[in-house]
Amino acid sequence: MAEYKVKFEVFEGPLDLLLYLIKKEEVDIYQVNLTRLAGQFIEYIETMRLLDLEVAGEFLVMAATLMYIKSRELLPVDQQAQAQDDDDGEDPRWELIRQLVEYKKFKDAAAQLEALEERQQNVFPRAPARLEFDSETPARSEASIFDLVSAVNTVLQRFGKRPEQRDIFEDKWTVSEKIQLLLQALAQKPLMKFSELFAGASSRSEVVATFLALLELIRLKHLAAIQDEPFGEIVICRVDKPPAEAAARTPDTAPSPAPPPPGTGDQPSPAGAQPNTSST
Amino acid sequence: MELKLILEAVLFSAQKALSLKEIRDVFAGAPEHAEGDETARRLKKPKEDELVAALEDLAREHEQAGRSFRLACVAGSWQFVTQPEYSPWLKALVGHKARPPRLSQPALETLAIIAYRQPVTRAEVEQVRGVAVDGVMQTLLERGLIEQAGRAEVVGRPMTYGTTPVFLEYFGLRSLEDLPAADELRRVAVQKPEGLATVDPGLATAPPEQLTLPAEGTKPEGQPQ
């Protein structure tokens, strides 16, 4: 019935609610009027139900305990004392107060732990060597599938909207052929810009075939798609040679003209430049 | 040369927190590198209590000097760390610490109960908190702050839980003895106040003068269950 339920966040459990009510009354836990507290507690549960908030089973157990305590108070004094004797010996009021006091202490301890947690987060050790290492890792982050799809979408815009009329023709390119071509291309160059992959493509189906080939090779961990900054140019490289290493090696193999580093915006590749100017 | 100052030099240049064992290894290896230095040979095998005393002395000295850093002992390992108030500049220097998100209130409460009461069963934790703790326990286990400690000798032999060294590191504690108000909370000693049993009908609890806080240091007859 009630599928849409809001979790009552303020109070984690019935003990939290009781402590809140006691705090509101501004009395010591040991001096609290449990009968009045029982009334307020049940009032709260009613309100929570009215608001269609999920009332956890623990709250109902607590309500029952409180009602039991309240009902015992109604008995004459002599019978009260008797009831306590043949009970299991534990006064339910005392039991509840003991539980509240205990919980309150742990709540306070949790607050102290929280303070320690905060302090410790601001404490720095003598040699933050590991942290430097940590900050290096995100620099060479792999592009997500969403980055790749959005990049291929940019490439596809080059071919304009799907034509209303379509000729049916045989697919000239298969994914497996493109896999071979991609592996060949990247065997010669250590890394390629994403847009370069599609520079020679002449149709949508060819772009799609190349893209599927790329995804397959990434899945097989032959290639990796690296994006150094969010929404930046995606670079494809072989997995056995991470781009940092590959970039460092490029000057060795071809010392005279240093290739432009990937990601510099002033030298857009032909495939990337055209859709931006024509389609928008 | 004083033991304390040697420790200071070692910890100053150490790349990580050093345990007592690692410190003793340093002392054991020193004579090889000290050509004829009598001190290195003399201090080849420092006694553990002497080491701890020297380390504590050194920590106190740094504390009193009011420097921006102090010698901290976390989970039994010693290290120089900065004081928390200088964190803005250190964050700018080394970047944010790669730390998991802060713990939620229920997680902190559950962790507090486990820390003070360990080894403790899930049921005992739930009894104190008054709510189910399955999800929270799972989070704490995944973050390595608690671990299974054994089984309780009661019906069903339920799993018991305790805190890990990661817990101490996370909160910057030297040991479990270092927990705030540890002796008070470990086994909560609350005594049933006198006079609670007799109250006037209609009055929920005994009048204030009949209810007294348990006197400090009183021991309970048995563990509250």
Side-chain angles (χ1 to χ4, degrees):
Chain A
M1 181 189 98
E3 279 172 35
Y4 179 73
K5 278 179 179 162
V6 184
K7 175 122 183 355
F8 210 60
E9 276 182 75
V10 188
F11 307 110
E12 293 303 329
L15 292 173
D16 289 282
L17 177 51
L18 279 179
L19 285 176
Y20 168 79
L21 293 173
I22 290 168
K23 204 177 159 195
K24 229 168 112 182
E25 288 275 299
E26 292 183 340
V27 288
D28 190 275
I29 295 179
Y30 288 98
Q31 300 174 6
V32 76
N33 182 327
L34 282 177
T35 311
R36 192 151 82 212
L37 203 63
Q40 289 171 342
F41 188 88
I42 286 158
E43 208 176 291
Y44 248 89
I45 292 190
E46 284 302 316
T47 316
M48 281 160 78
R49 282 199 161 156
L50 258 171
L51 297 170
D52 202 21
L53 295 163
E54 196 173 1
V55 178
E58 291 97 348
F59 281 88
L60 301 180
V61 173
M62 180 58 73
T65 309
L66 286 166
M67 289 323 286
Y68 174 58
I69 290 169
K70 197 172 172 179
S71 67
R72 277 172 63 118
E73 305 281 336
L74 300 173
L75 289 170
V77 191
D78 48 338
Q79 289 185 35
Q80 256 186 33
Q82 255 181 2
Q84 266 159 16
D85 286 339
D86 48 44
D87 230 22
D88 54 325
E90 203 68 78
D91 186 337
R93 284 171 300 168
W94 169 242
E95 183 56 32
L96 182 60
I97 287 174
R98 188 196 61 74
Q99 207 184 351
L100 276 172
V101 170
E102 189 180 34
Y103 181 54
K104 179 74 172 65
K105 285 190 178 172
F106 279 112
K107 247 183 128 59
D108 294 345
Q112 283 178 306
L113 281 185
E114 195 178 11
L116 283 178
E117 179 187 35
E118 195 182 346
R119 193 191 69 158
Q120 194 59 17
Q121 287 197 329
N122 288 324
V123 165
F124 286 78
R126 162 83 182 84
R130 196 178 57 80
L131 297 175
E132 281 167 28
F133 180 75
D134 275 355
S135 62
E136 258 176 36
T137 26
R140 192 174 66 83
S141 57
E142 284 199 24
S144 73
I145 181 71
F146 302 115
D147 294 320
L148 288 167
V149 168
S150 119
V152 81
N153 198 36
T154 315
V155 175
L156 283 172
Q157 278 173 17
R158 178 149 58 99
F159 299 99
K161 290 232 187 284
R162 272 175 183 276
E164 288 299 312
Q165 288 183 314
R166 262 179 281 172
D167 296 326
I168 298 170
F169 52 87
E170 195 188 3
D171 269 348
K172 276 190 281 187
W173 296 99
T174 65
V175 176
S176 49
E177 278 173 335
K178 280 293 180 189
I179 286 178
Q180 292 305 319
L181 283 173
L182 277 179
L183 285 176
Q184 277 170 25
L186 278 142
Q188 287 157 11
K189 293 172 81 174
L191 44 100
M192 279 177 94
K193 286 184 187 174
F194 183 83
S195 49
E196 277 180 80
L197 300 178
F198 305 99
S202 58
S203 69
R204 293 180 70 93
S205 60
E206 191 179 345
V207 171
V208 170
T210 309
F211 185 63
L212 291 178
L214 176 67
L215 288 185
E216 183 66 10
L217 286 169
I218 290 171
R219 190 181 70 83
L220 294 171
K221 305 222 185 299
H222 287 301
L223 301 180
I226 306 298
Q227 195 174 29
D228 283 337
E229 54 188 285
F231 309 112
E233 172 80 75
I234 295 170
V235 178
I236 309 297
C237 67
R238 288 198 302 272
V239 165
D240 54 348
K241 235 176 246 176
E245 197 190 316
R249 287 172 69 124
T250 339
D252 292 330
T253 47
S256 36
T264 42
D266 50 3
Q267 269 209 331
S269 59
Q274 273 177 339
N276 287 346
T277 46
S278 58
S279 62
T280 52
Chain B
M1 256 184 294
E2 226 185 320
L3 179 61
K4 191 168 66 184
L5 294 178
I6 299 170
L7 286 168
E8 187 178 51
V10 167
L11 288 164
F12 171 75
S13 49
Q15 296 293 303
K16 63 182 196 66
L18 294 182
S19 68
L20 277 185
K21 191 194 169 296
E22 286 167 318
I23 293 173
R24 295 184 75 178
D25 287 348
V26 169
F27 278 94
E32 276 179 45
H33 305 279
E35 286 140 27
D37 191 334
E38 196 48 45
T39 323
R41 206 164 305 123
R42 186 166 52 82
L43 290 173
K44 195 171 181 227
K45 279 186 179 165
K47 288 203 188 84
E48 193 161 313
D49 53 340
E50 277 174 30
L51 267 185
V52 173
L55 285 163
E56 279 169 355
D57 211 18
L58 187 61
R60 209 171 306 120
E61 262 178 39
H62 277 273
E63 201 79 48
Q64 279 163 3
R67 308 299 313 180
S68 58
F69 57 88
R70 67 195 159 90
L71 181 57
C73 177
V74 169
S77 291
W78 295 81
Q79 187 176 33
F80 278 111
V81 297
T82 61
Q83 304 281 23
E85 55 264 40
Y86 302 97
S87 66
W89 294 274
L90 288 152
K91 279 175 184 163
L93 177 71
V94 299
H96 274 268
K97 278 199 198 182
R99 264 182 169 254
R102 299 271 293 269
L103 292 166
S104 68
Q105 199 59 39
L108 281 166
E109 281 175 22
T110 306
L111 194 54
I113 296 165
I114 295 170
Y116 286 100
R117 287 289 172 82
Q118 57 188 307
V120 68
T121 65
R122 185 183 298 241
E124 285 171 312
V125 177
E126 286 180 351
Q127 206 196 348
V128 175
R129 283 204 63 221
V131 278
V133 293
D134 302 86
V136 178
M137 293 277 277
Q138 196 53 43
T139 311
L140 295 175
L141 281 167
E142 276 166 17
R143 286 183 64 165
L145 294 165
I146 60 168
E147 64 188 355
Q148 289 168 358
R151 287 183 183 277
E153 291 300 328
V154 292
V155 181
R157 299 189 22 93
M159 201 71 86
T160 58
Y161 297 89
T163 54
T164 62
V166 176
F167 166 81
L168 295 176
E169 279 167 32
Y170 188 76
F171 291 102
L173 296 167
R174 180 172 174 175
S175 71
L176 288 173
E177 303 301 311
D178 214 19
L179 280 169
D183 35 340
E184 193 198 343
L185 270 171
R186 196 142 287 148
R187 284 286 167 192
V188 175
V190 252
Q191 281 221 308
K192 190 170 174 173
E194 297 288 318
L196 185 71
T198 52
V199 286
D200 297 325
L203 190 66
T205 40
E209 59 272 16
Q210 286 185 37
L211 283 172
T212 44
L213 279 162
E216 286 295 312
T218 44
K219 294 268 176 242
E221 313 102 56
Q223 281 177 357
Q225 242 338 317

mmCIF file of all heavy atoms in Angstrom, chain A residues 30-51:
data_model
loop_
_atom_site.group_PDB
_atom_site.id
_atom_site.type_symbol
_atom_site.label_atom_id
_atom_site.label_comp_id
_atom_site.label_asym_id
_atom_site.label_seq_id
_atom_site.Cartn_x
_atom_site.Cartn_y
_atom_site.Cartn_z
ATOM 1 N N TYR A 30 17.150 10.401 35.148
ATOM 2 C CA TYR A 30 16.722 9.681 36.358
ATOM 3 C C TYR A 30 15.447 10.269 36.955
ATOM 4 O O TYR A 30 14.822 9.667 37.808
ATOM 5 C CB TYR A 30 17.835 9.721 37.403
ATOM 6 C CG TYR A 30 19.009 8.845 37.042
ATOM 7 C CD1 TYR A 30 20.147 9.372 36.451
ATOM 8 C CD2 TYR A 30 18.967 7.476 37.289
ATOM 9 C CE1 TYR A 30 21.219 8.571 36.118
ATOM 10 C CE2 TYR A 30 20.035 6.667 36.962
ATOM 11 C CZ TYR A 30 21.162 7.221 36.383
ATOM 12 O OH TYR A 30 22.225 6.426 36.051
ATOM 13 N N GLN A 31 15.096 11.473 36.548
ATOM 14 C CA GLN A 31 13.945 12.122 37.169
ATOM 15 C C GLN A 31 12.776 12.251 36.212
ATOM 16 O O GLN A 31 11.843 12.984 36.461
ATOM 17 C CB GLN A 31 14.356 13.513 37.659
ATOM 18 C CG GLN A 31 15.472 13.449 38.676
ATOM 19 C CD GLN A 31 15.967 14.817 39.058
ATOM 20 O OE1 GLN A 31 15.395 15.822 38.635
ATOM 21 N NE2 GLN A 31 17.011 14.852 39.863
ATOM 22 N N VAL A 32 12.841 11.565 35.125
ATOM 23 C CA VAL A 32 11.829 11.773 34.096
ATOM 24 C C VAL A 32 10.511 11.113 34.501
ATOM 25 O O VAL A 32 10.484 10.079 35.171
ATOM 26 C CB VAL A 32 12.341 11.234 32.741
ATOM 27 C CG1 VAL A 32 12.276 9.730 32.685
ATOM 28 C CG2 VAL A 32 11.572 11.843 31.588
ATOM 29 N N ASN A 33 9.414 11.760 34.118
ATOM 30 C CA ASN A 33 8.086 11.202 34.363
ATOM 31 C C ASN A 33 7.747 10.280 33.204
ATOM 32 O O ASN A 33 7.425 10.723 32.105
ATOM 33 C CB ASN A 33 7.076 12.354 34.455
ATOM 34 C CG ASN A 33 5.682 11.859 34.745
ATOM 35 O OD1 ASN A 33 5.292 10.767 34.315
ATOM 36 N ND2 ASN A 33 4.926 12.660 35.468
ATOM 37 N N LEU A 34 7.846 9.003 33.434
ATOM 38 C CA LEU A 34 7.702 8.048 32.335
ATOM 39 C C LEU A 34 6.277 8.006 31.798
ATOM 40 O O LEU A 34 6.053 7.729 30.630
ATOM 41 C CB LEU A 34 8.134 6.648 32.782
ATOM 42 C CG LEU A 34 9.647 6.424 32.838
ATOM 43 C CD1 LEU A 34 9.952 5.038 33.347
ATOM 44 C CD2 LEU A 34 10.282 6.612 31.465
ATOM 45 N N THR A 35 5.289 8.280 32.659
ATOM 46 C CA THR A 35 3.901 8.266 32.185
ATOM 47 C C THR A 35 3.690 9.358 31.141
ATOM 48 O O THR A 35 3.117 9.130 30.081
ATOM 49 C CB THR A 35 2.941 8.470 33.363
ATOM 50 O OG1 THR A 35 3.322 7.573 34.403
ATOM 51 C CG2 THR A 35 1.525 8.195 32.947
ATOM 52 N N ARG A 36 4.215 10.538 31.459
ATOM 53 C CA ARG A 36 4.078 11.643 30.511
ATOM 54 C C ARG A 36 4.874 11.324 29.232
ATOM 55 O O ARG A 36 4.432 11.582 28.124
ATOM 56 C CB ARG A 36 4.566 12.940 31.147
ATOM 57 C CG ARG A 36 4.170 14.125 30.289
ATOM 58 C CD ARG A 36 3.969 15.363 31.109
ATOM 59 N NE ARG A 36 5.218 16.026 31.387
ATOM 60 C CZ ARG A 36 5.465 16.708 32.491
ATOM 61 N NH1 ARG A 36 4.555 16.802 33.431
ATOM 62 N NH2 ARG A 36 6.620 17.292 32.667
ATOM 63 N N LEU A 37 6.034 10.758 29.448
ATOM 64 C CA LEU A 37 6.882 10.408 28.312
ATOM 65 C C LEU A 37 6.176 9.407 27.393
ATOM 66 O O LEU A 37 6.242 9.518 26.171
ATOM 67 C CB LEU A 37 8.186 9.798 28.837
ATOM 68 C CG LEU A 37 9.386 9.857 27.900
ATOM 69 C CD1 LEU A 37 9.755 11.296 27.633
ATOM 70 C CD2 LEU A 37 10.556 9.130 28.512
ATOM 71 N N ALA A 38 5.471 8.448 28.019
ATOM 72 C CA ALA A 38 4.735 7.457 27.231
ATOM 73 C C ALA A 38 3.725 8.145 26.325
ATOM 74 O O ALA A 38 3.600 7.824 25.139
ATOM 75 C CB ALA A 38 4.040 6.466 28.157
ATOM 76 N N GLY A 39 2.995 9.115 26.905
ATOM 77 C CA GLY A 39 2.006 9.851 26.116
ATOM 78 C C GLY A 39 2.641 10.571 24.946
ATOM 79 O O GLY A 39 2.163 10.487 23.810
ATOM 80 N N GLN A 40 3.756 11.254 25.217
ATOM 81 C CA GLN A 40 4.426 12.016 24.147
ATOM 82 C C GLN A 40 4.977 11.093 23.072
ATOM 83 O O GLN A 40 4.908 11.400 21.888
ATOM 84 C CB GLN A 40 5.574 12.831 24.754
ATOM 85 C CG GLN A 40 5.093 13.990 25.591
ATOM 86 C CD GLN A 40 6.229 14.641 26.347
ATOM 87 O OE1 GLN A 40 7.295 14.048 26.507
ATOM 88 N NE2 GLN A 40 5.999 15.850 26.817
ATOM 89 N N PHE A 41 5.487 9.973 23.523
ATOM 90 C CA PHE A 41 6.068 9.011 22.578
ATOM 91 C C PHE A 41 5.011 8.522 21.602
ATOM 92 O O PHE A 41 5.222 8.494 20.392
ATOM 93 C CB PHE A 41 6.674 7.834 23.353
ATOM 94 C CG PHE A 41 7.465 6.883 22.510
ATOM 95 C CD1 PHE A 41 8.806 7.088 22.283
ATOM 96 C CD2 PHE A 41 6.866 5.767 21.942
ATOM 97 C CE1 PHE A 41 9.545 6.213 21.504
ATOM 98 C CE2 PHE A 41 7.598 4.881 21.162
ATOM 99 C CZ PHE A 41 8.938 5.124 20.950
ATOM 100 N N ILE A 42 3.851 8.159 22.152
ATOM 101 C CA ILE A 42 2.787 7.626 21.300
ATOM 102 C C ILE A 42 2.248 8.717 20.381
ATOM 103 O O ILE A 42 1.942 8.469 19.217
ATOM 104 C CB ILE A 42 1.708 6.966 22.168
ATOM 105 C CG1 ILE A 42 2.267 5.629 22.668
ATOM 106 C CG2 ILE A 42 0.420 6.754 21.408
ATOM 107 C CD1 ILE A 42 1.624 5.098 23.887
ATOM 108 N N GLU A 43 2.204 9.937 20.901
ATOM 109 C CA GLU A 43 1.784 11.070 20.074
ATOM 110 C C GLU A 43 2.692 11.203 18.846
ATOM 111 O O GLU A 43 2.238 11.421 17.732
ATOM 112 C CB GLU A 43 1.885 12.335 20.922
ATOM 113 C CG GLU A 43 0.934 13.442 20.526
ATOM 114 C CD GLU A 43 1.074 14.589 21.518
ATOM 115 O OE1 GLU A 43 0.680 14.423 22.692
ATOM 116 O OE2 GLU A 43 1.622 15.622 21.115
ATOM 117 N N TYR A 44 3.985 11.028 19.100
ATOM 118 C CA TYR A 44 4.951 11.129 18.013
ATOM 119 C C TYR A 44 4.737 10.056 16.963
ATOM 120 O O TYR A 44 4.797 10.317 15.766
ATOM 121 C CB TYR A 44 6.380 11.023 18.564
ATOM 122 C CG TYR A 44 7.125 12.309 18.427
ATOM 123 C CD1 TYR A 44 7.070 13.271 19.429
ATOM 124 C CD2 TYR A 44 7.867 12.586 17.282
ATOM 125 C CE1 TYR A 44 7.728 14.461 19.307
ATOM 126 C CE2 TYR A 44 8.533 13.783 17.153
ATOM 127 C CZ TYR A 44 8.460 14.717 18.171
ATOM 128 O OH TYR A 44 9.112 15.900 18.031
ATOM 129 N N ILE A 45 4.502 8.834 17.456
ATOM 130 C CA ILE A 45 4.286 7.735 16.506
ATOM 131 C C ILE A 45 3.044 7.995 15.677
ATOM 132 O O ILE A 45 3.019 7.749 14.458
ATOM 133 C CB ILE A 45 4.197 6.395 17.269
ATOM 134 C CG1 ILE A 45 5.561 6.070 17.857
ATOM 135 C CG2 ILE A 45 3.731 5.283 16.367
ATOM 136 C CD1 ILE A 45 5.676 4.701 18.426
ATOM 137 N N GLU A 46 2.022 8.541 16.321
ATOM 138 C CA GLU A 46 0.791 8.872 15.598
ATOM 139 C C GLU A 46 1.093 9.887 14.492
ATOM 140 O O GLU A 46 0.640 9.750 13.357
ATOM 141 C CB GLU A 46 -0.255 9.442 16.567
ATOM 142 C CG GLU A 46 -0.922 8.396 17.444
ATOM 143 C CD GLU A 46 -1.610 7.299 16.633
ATOM 144 O OE1 GLU A 46 -2.282 7.648 15.652
ATOM 145 O OE2 GLU A 46 -1.442 6.111 16.969
ATOM 146 N N THR A 47 1.872 10.902 14.854
ATOM 147 C CA THR A 47 2.218 11.929 13.859
ATOM 148 C C THR A 47 2.991 11.312 12.701
ATOM 149 O O THR A 47 2.737 11.618 11.537
ATOM 150 C CB THR A 47 3.085 13.023 14.517
ATOM 151 O OG1 THR A 47 2.524 13.338 15.778
ATOM 152 C CG2 THR A 47 3.156 14.251 13.651
ATOM 153 N N MET A 48 3.916 10.433 13.047
ATOM 154 C CA MET A 48 4.707 9.796 11.996
ATOM 155 C C MET A 48 3.811 8.992 11.066
ATOM 156 O O MET A 48 4.010 8.980 9.857
ATOM 157 C CB MET A 48 5.767 8.877 12.618
ATOM 158 C CG MET A 48 6.979 9.631 13.144
ATOM 159 S SD MET A 48 7.914 8.682 14.353
ATOM 160 C CE MET A 48 8.821 7.576 13.298
ATOM 161 N N ARG A 49 2.799 8.357 11.643
ATOM 162 C CA ARG A 49 1.882 7.574 10.817
ATOM 163 C C ARG A 49 1.043 8.475 9.939
ATOM 164 O O ARG A 49 0.797 8.177 8.778
ATOM 165 C CB ARG A 49 0.968 6.745 11.710
ATOM 166 C CG ARG A 49 1.675 5.524 12.245
ATOM 167 C CD ARG A 49 0.647 4.543 12.692
ATOM 168 N NE ARG A 49 1.216 3.214 12.799
ATOM 169 C CZ ARG A 49 0.711 2.275 13.590
ATOM 170 N NH1 ARG A 49 -0.375 2.539 14.302
ATOM 171 N NH2 ARG A 49 1.260 1.101 13.641
ATOM 172 N N LEU A 50 0.609 9.595 10.517
ATOM 173 C CA LEU A 50 -0.189 10.554 9.766
ATOM 174 C C LEU A 50 0.579 11.040 8.547
ATOM 175 O O LEU A 50 0.025 11.205 7.461
ATOM 176 C CB LEU A 50 -0.520 11.752 10.654
ATOM 177 C CG LEU A 50 -1.930 11.798 11.242
ATOM 178 C CD1 LEU A 50 -2.023 12.926 12.255
ATOM 179 C CD2 LEU A 50 -2.949 12.009 10.134
ATOM 180 N N LEU A 51 1.855 11.263 8.749
ATOM 181 C CA LEU A 51 2.699 11.750 7.656
ATOM 182 C C LEU A 51 3.120 10.617 6.735
ATOM 183 O O LEU A 51 3.924 10.812 5.835
ATOM 184 C CB LEU A 51 3.944 12.427 8.232
ATOM 185 C CG LEU A 51 3.679 13.664 9.087
ATOM 186 C CD1 LEU A 51 4.943 14.086 9.800
ATOM 187 C CD2 LEU A 51 3.150 14.794 8.233
#
